Amino acid sequence: MSAKDDKPTPHHNYHPIKILGIVLVWTVSLYIALVIIKNYDADLHPKSPEFSRPHLVKNENICKSPECITLAHQLHNWQDISVDPCQDFYQAACGKYNEQNTVEGPRFLKAFEINLNLVTEHLEKNLPTTSKSEQAMRSYFQKCKESKTKNATEEKDEMMRELYQNIQKIGSFPMMNKNWTESDFDLNEMMVNMASTGKTDFGIFELEPTEDSQIIIYPSTYSHAAYNFFFNSGNKIFLKFMKHYAEVNNLDSKDFEPDQKAVTDLAGVEKFLASIREMGKFQISDFFDETIDFEELQELVPSLDFEGRIKSLINPAKKEETWKKVMGKVRVHIPGYFANQTSNLETILKTTPKRVLANYLIMIYIRSEILKIKKVGESHVHCARAAISTLPLAALRVIVRNHFDKENIDIASKMVEEVRQSFIEMIQESDWLNEETKRNAIRKATMMRKMVGYPKELEVPGALDSFFETLVMSPNDSFYKMISTVEKFETEQAIDFVASSLQMLSKKVYFEANASYSPWRNLLTLNIPFIDDPFFDSTYPDYAKIASIGEVLGHEIGHGFDTDGRKLDENGKKRNWWTPEDSAEYDRRARCLVDQYSNYDDPDFGKRLNGSTTIDEIAADIIGINTSWRKKLNLVNEPKIIGFEDYDTDKLFFRLAALNWCKPRSTHSLSEELTYSHPTSSFRVNGIFSNTKSFAEAYNCPVGSPMNPVKKCELF
Ligand SMILES: *[C@@H]1O[C@H](CO)[C@@H](O)[C@H](O)[C@H]1NC(C)=O
Ligand SMILES: *[C@@H]1O[C@H](CO)[C@@H](O)[C@H](O)[C@H]1NC(C)=O
Ligand SMILES: *[C@@H]1O[C@H](CO)[C@@H](O)[C@H](O)[C@H]1NC(C)=O
Ligand SMILES: *[C@@H]1O[C@H](CO)[C@@H](O)[C@H](O)[C@H]1NC(C)=O
Ligand SMILES: *[C@@H]1O[C@H](CO)[C@@H](O)[C@H](O)[C@H]1NC(C)=O
Ligand SMILES: *[C@@H]1O[C@H](CO)[C@@H](O)[C@H](O)[C@H]1NC(C)=O
Ligand SMILES: *[C@@H]1O[C@H](CO)[C@@H](O)[C@H](O)[C@H]1NC(C)=O
Ligand SMILES: [Zn+2]
């Protein structure tokens, strides 16, 4: 067959497509009719052969599930049949996307919006539940709605009064207390009080429970942001806030006039901040050089009780037990900040007046509360969205229990294994990798862990809820108070995660239709919304499953072998497991992809993109399409998709894979695009597929046509 035969022209295709459209609409109506008949009286109207098998459709082996029909709809309606697939496959597959979609962005975002609606409905219905996590999310949601109806000015004043109470608990604030004396201040005590509100940033250093199960200690990022906040605005924002705060709480507000006493206090704080900023000059390259361990840190900075700070963030019900589990996982980053011989934190703390330290810590606290007060206002815009992003695991549980087919987890889990196998096959067949490098790559792929949906441990009834026991919110609490309570709770949960008692970090991203790879844990994660309609359904033909989520799985596995991922080993540790020749050859091949993207003529941005910033995603895409195609090759006799009965499944595979990236035209600027780590949607289809021989073969693209260039870039 010549390429010409394959090239659809608007004239020839107009008619058949119209018929297909009618068949589609007709089949949908039939399906609905059948469902209605079935539900009303199945015995009176047994499914007649004519009804269940529309005679316009010849092929018997067709998937007719509603999900397949939706998929058929996307294949049909998003395509632009006036475009030659060998010229511009992205346009051919996605050209009409804009005419069919109101949600901005790709179908990934649409899936998120749908789940958001489902949880919103659930929250609005407010049916009784015994689930702790659900109760928590509902309290939060109800309180948000209640707070929304309040007079904003009055609510803000109420928050100012609560803030006053909270500050009393943190410690005495010299700037606002004429009777303040040095004996009122104890650095560690004030920090304990800050920690008991869930704060992990102490202005001087920060504690962070991380995704790779560590608690890291590093110079406070506040020292930068806080500096700008307090001082770059010429004190104005802070002074204005404090003046109002003083008025609401019947305190002396005169001090906060721009030329009054507070300004002297602020000058002291500014000097202190400047000095710790100077010391902690962030050098990202130093970030992972852990040259001191936790015990050493404690010796270097005896003024600060680091152990006490971590302990005060732990769930009090199991403090000692949890501490034992996490104490070995504490790491210190940017050690120069703590360990420098000439200028170090201990010296600065010793020489800074207590008054300055007390002012600084309370200012840091106030700043975080100002942000929280802002959050109250922002949450009002969409209370369900706020509840979900604040308690994502609780929201996920609602979706899983009410709207998700758990069978999908097993199918997707098997797919991970199949794609992993394809990846290994690709490595084995590579004609340039040394045997030694192959063995190492295969070991890394074999040892890659996976989390499909959520950890098995959370499947046990009540398992997730047991982690919500300590989240106590009274209906009498203000919304501001609830936000604080949840913040503290989130920190406790994150430490539970580091202690390995909770197997999943509470993160909003798990609620997104997405998948991810964590290089430091060599862990592949597939989120629940991603293994669901429209990306995945158990009724889909296997080639459709493999083209949509199989390709993304391959992509995520591929991140373990992109230009950064390849520098880490099977345990996520930095180690060079490449022979020097292989390393050089890999770089040469990656260069080919970088140049390809830098010279790519994108429909939205022209030839102005930068392959260096997107290389890792491009490499992952190349691996993704290669591994999923391999898997697809073994499939025979799979059901057809309505309207595509006579369409070659090899072709269909690429059409289905392209659907993931269909997107409206970009509306953001080139300079914003240049900061993205992902290539443009058009490149993810055209650039990537044009490197793939099987694409050119499936579509019979003439050598030298845009989708079958003579020069192709291959990775392995
Ligand atoms: C999916 O995750 C990647 C990185 O983890 C992120 O860049 C991307 O925006 C996410 N996509 C969606 C639709 O959430
Ligand atoms: C809100 O309360 C303030 C002070 O009590 C009052 O001046 C203002 O008019 C109220 N605003 C509305 C919209 O009711
Ligand atoms: C300061 O001390 C005086 C005398 O003991 C007392 O009257 C006053 O209320 C105190 N002020 C504050 C702000 O605590
Ligand atoms: C220690 O501090 C001094 C002065 O700030 C600086 O010049 C030097 O580079 C620092 N040394 C280290 C190892 O961070
Ligand atoms: C809430 O406040 C009301 C009225 O002040 C009080 O009667 C009730 O006991 C409070 N409920 C809780 C749970 O604190
Ligand atoms: C592309 O990005 C890299 C870093 O990501 C940068 O060093 C390089 O200057 C950029 N190239 C162009 C042409 O802007
Ligand atoms: C997969 O990669 C191998 C080696 O680079 C290449 O020969 C093959 O054509 C690729 N297949 C696809 C579908 O990209
Ligand atoms: Zn990626």
Side-chain angles (χ1 to χ4, degrees):
M1 218 174 37
S2 85
K4 276 266 155 60
D5 296 332
D6 204 56
K7 182 177 166 181
T9 62
H11 179 74
H12 281 129
N13 278 270
Y14 181 67
H15 201 56
I17 282 296
K18 209 168 171 187
I19 292 176
L20 291 179
I22 294 166
V23 173
L24 183 62
V25 170
W26 191 61
T27 317
V28 174
S29 335
L30 260 185
Y31 178 81
I32 294 169
L34 281 173
V35 168
I36 293 172
I37 291 169
K38 236 173 107 184
N39 286 350
Y40 273 90
D41 200 341
D43 289 336
L44 277 179
H45 300 274
K47 230 159 119 186
S48 81
E50 292 93 332
F51 267 57
S52 58
R53 219 168 281 149
H55 42 257
L56 261 179
V57 178
K58 293 173 300 209
N59 200 321
E60 307 246 333
N61 191 11
I62 299 168
C63 175
K64 291 176 194 157
S65 69
E67 290 79 11
C68 277
I69 292 172
T70 307
L71 194 62
H73 167 95
Q74 299 181 349
L75 285 167
H76 276 292
N77 293 343
W78 296 358
Q79 68 186 342
D80 182 347
I81 52 155
S82 70
V83 176
D84 178 352
C86 290
Q87 291 293 317
D88 184 347
F89 192 65
Y90 178 64
Q91 193 64 23
C94 302
K96 303 274 183 185
Y97 184 83
N98 251 352
E99 295 176 20
Q100 304 285 336
N101 287 279
T102 50
V103 180
E104 233 180 90
R107 59 180 185 170
F108 286 87
L109 292 185
K110 199 165 151 188
F112 175 82
E113 296 295 322
I114 289 170
N115 283 327
L116 175 66
N117 288 345
L118 291 173
V119 177
T120 305
E121 196 185 326
H122 192 82
L123 289 169
E124 291 284 5
K125 273 192 193 153
N126 205 15
L127 300 172
T129 175
T130 52
S131 157
K132 280 265 174 197
S133 62
E134 216 169 294
Q135 280 165 1
M137 189 169 50
R138 286 194 196 171
S139 304
Y140 193 91
F141 174 69
Q142 292 301 338
K143 187 56 72 172
C144 174
K145 289 214 311 186
E146 193 184 309
S147 136
K148 193 174 171 172
T149 62
K150 287 191 174 164
N151 175 324
T153 316
E154 280 171 11
E155 188 180 31
K156 201 161 181 183
D157 288 356
E158 257 171 52
M159 290 193 272
M160 295 281 193
R161 283 190 281 272
E162 268 190 80
L163 177 59
Y164 178 77
Q165 300 301 329
N166 293 346
I167 292 177
Q168 304 311 302
K169 289 180 207 149
I170 302 283
S172 182
F173 189 16
M175 218 182 274
M176 298 224 71
N177 182 356
K178 298 215 163 58
N179 297 349
W180 188 88
T181 66
E182 289 213 342
S183 62
D184 290 342
F185 177 71
D186 180 284
L187 180 60
N188 281 302
E189 197 183 302
M190 191 173 271
M191 284 192 177
V192 171
N193 297 339
M194 284 169 85
S196 67
T197 70
K199 291 270 167 299
T200 53
D201 189 324
F202 301 94
I204 294 165
F205 68 93
E206 203 164 330
L207 286 173
E208 188 187 333
T210 65
E211 214 178 324
D212 53 335
S213 281
Q214 298 186 344
I215 294 179
I216 57 173
I217 297 180
Y218 55 96
S220 182
T221 47
Y222 263 168
S223 52
H224 284 288
Y227 190 90
N228 294 338
F229 181 81
F230 294 125
F231 303 111
N232 278 1
S233 57
N235 302 340
K236 283 194 193 73
I237 299 177
F238 181 68
L239 287 177
K240 191 170 161 229
F241 178 88
M242 289 311 292
K243 196 165 178 325
H244 184 59
Y245 167 87
E247 281 161 6
V248 171
N249 290 295
N250 301 318
L251 304 167
D252 192 352
S253 66
K254 273 206 312 296
D255 290 344
F256 294 97
E257 299 296 346
D259 57 349
Q260 293 302 311
K261 194 171 121 283
V263 177
T264 322
D265 271 324
L266 282 172
V269 170
E270 183 169 9
K271 190 163 156 252
F272 170 72
L273 249 177
S275 60
I276 61 170
R277 239 155 66 97
E278 178 60 27
M279 233 172 35
K281 266 190 189 146
F282 289 13
Q283 276 156 358
I284 294 302
S285 56
D286 286 351
F287 200 81
F288 295 104
D289 294 342
E290 300 160 16
T291 54
I292 53 174
D293 63 23
F294 185 51
E295 284 75 30
E296 211 175 326
L297 171 72
Q298 195 60 77
E299 275 167 32
L300 283 163
V301 196
S303 295
L304 294 175
D305 173 12
F306 293 96
E307 182 180 325
R309 281 317 61 71
I310 298 174
K311 280 185 172 168
S312 43
L313 294 167
I314 298 176
N315 178 348
K318 41 184 177 177
K319 187 169 288 181
E320 290 306 321
E321 178 196 337
T322 305
W323 169 244
K324 282 206 191 79
K325 290 184 189 158
V326 301
M327 58 193 281
K329 299 181 175 179
V330 182
R331 301 283 178 271
V332 181
H333 288 307
I334 317 195
Y337 181 73
F338 305 100
N340 193 327
Q341 295 299 315
T342 49
S343 82
N344 60 52
L345 190 57
E346 182 66 14
T347 330
I348 290 198
L349 291 176
K350 278 264 164 18
T351 54
T352 303
K354 287 184 171 177
R355 184 178 179 91
V356 172
L357 290 176
N359 275 327
Y360 174 63
L361 289 187
I362 293 191
M363 280 169 69
I364 288 293
Y365 176 75
I366 291 176
R367 178 175 180 271
S368 70
E369 297 307 289
I370 292 177
L371 298 178
K372 217 183 275 167
I373 289 171
K374 229 171 113 191
K375 189 174 171 184
V376 168
E378 287 162 0
S379 302
H380 288 162
V381 178
H382 198 309
C383 284
R385 200 183 278 270
I388 291 165
S389 52
T390 307
L391 295 162
L393 294 189
L396 193 58
R397 184 181 168 282
V398 168
I399 292 293
V400 171
R401 289 181 71 95
N402 303 292
H403 306 281
F404 180 73
D405 186 353
K406 284 192 192 161
E407 193 197 344
N408 290 4
I409 293 182
D410 295 332
I411 306 176
S413 195
K414 273 201 205 90
M415 266 175 77
V416 174
E417 294 317 317
E418 288 166 356
V419 174
R420 190 201 301 267
Q421 220 38 58
S422 287
F423 178 85
I424 292 173
E425 204 177 275
M426 179 186 78
I427 295 293
Q428 275 162 343
E429 284 174 17
S430 164
D431 57 10
W432 61 272
L433 281 175
N434 275 295
E435 284 310 313
E436 187 192 338
T437 313
K438 281 186 183 180
R439 268 198 308 277
N440 289 329
I442 292 170
R443 180 182 315 121
K444 182 168 181 180
T446 309
M447 285 180 65
M448 191 178 284
R449 294 179 297 141
K450 64 177 173 186
M451 183 172 89
V452 180
Y454 46 82
K456 278 257 173 296
E457 289 84 350
L458 287 184
E459 178 75 5
V460 181
L464 180 61
D465 278 337
S466 69
F467 284 91
F468 282 76
E469 296 286 347
T470 50
L471 180 57
V472 183
M473 291 187 287
S474 159
N476 288 356
D477 288 348
S478 69
F479 186 38
Y480 166 59
K481 171 90 190 286
M482 275 194 184
I483 292 180
S484 314
T485 308
V486 173
E487 199 170 272
K488 177 169 165 18
F489 169 73
E490 293 282 303
T491 308
E492 285 177 6
Q493 274 204 337
I495 293 179
D496 279 337
F497 172 79
V498 175
S500 313
S501 39
L502 177 64
Q503 283 74 22
M504 194 175 186
L505 204 52
S506 175
K507 277 181 20 180
K508 191 185 145 221
V509 291
Y510 292 130
F511 195 75
E512 288 169 1
N514 215 341
S516 59
Y517 173 73
S518 161
W520 313 105
R521 304 167 75 196
N522 196 21
L523 170 72
L524 172 71
T525 303
L526 282 185
N527 300 352
I528 285 289
F530 183 59
I531 42 179
D532 204 351
D533 204 27
F535 312 100
F536 184 86
D537 188 74
S538 55
T539 65
Y540 279 5
D542 278 352
Y543 59 83
K545 291 177 191 155
I546 204 81
S548 69
I549 77 158
E551 194 273 340
V552 176
L553 276 173
H555 170 104
E556 299 304 342
I557 292 176
H559 274 311
F561 304 86
D562 66 23
T563 65
D564 290 323
R566 78 181 186 89
K567 293 175 184 148
L568 306 179
D569 67 9
E570 65 276 11
N571 298 311
K573 294 270 174 297
K574 216 167 184 166
R575 183 165 69 81
N576 186 1
W577 47 267
W578 296 69
T579 65
E581 311 86 72
D582 284 351
S583 215
E585 178 62 14
Y586 181 101
D587 288 343
R588 201 188 59 74
R589 287 168 175 254
R591 189 78 236 160
C592 178
L593 290 163
V594 169
D595 292 343
Q596 195 178 42
Y597 191 61
S598 298
N599 291 312
Y600 180 68
D601 193 3
D602 186 79
D604 292 346
F605 301 104
K607 288 192 185 186
R608 290 147 77 198
L609 297 165
N610 189 337
S612 304
T613 45
T614 45
I615 179 60
D616 286 343
E617 294 299 335
I618 293 173
D621 273 353
I622 288 279
I623 296 170
I625 201 73
N626 198 304
T627 49
S628 52
W629 171 261
R630 280 169 190 277
K631 170 69 184 67
K632 193 250 149 224
L633 277 182
N634 309 322
L635 302 173
V636 281
N637 292 333
E638 281 294 307
K640 297 282 186 176
I641 291 176
I642 287 175
F644 289 86
E645 294 84 356
D646 299 325
Y647 206 87
D648 181 39
T649 54
D650 283 5
K651 288 184 184 175
L652 204 47
F653 170 86
F654 290 104
R655 284 287 308 278
L656 287 159
L659 292 183
N660 273 350
W661 315 122
C662 290
K663 219 178 91 175
R665 196 177 218 315
S666 299
T667 51
H668 56 265
S669 64
L670 172 69
S671 55
E672 193 181 337
E673 178 65 34
L674 288 173
T675 64
Y676 292 175
S677 57
H678 291 85
T680 63
S681 296
S682 146
F683 185 85
R684 296 190 84 165
V685 175
N686 288 355
I688 302 297
F689 293 5
S690 67
N691 286 322
T692 304
K693 283 187 222 107
S694 359
F695 175 85
E697 282 161 18
Y699 279 89
N700 253 304
C701 294
V703 176
S705 65
M707 292 303 296
N708 187 13
V710 178
K711 185 183 174 200
K712 293 188 169 56
C713 303
E714 283 176 344
L715 205 51
F716 285 108

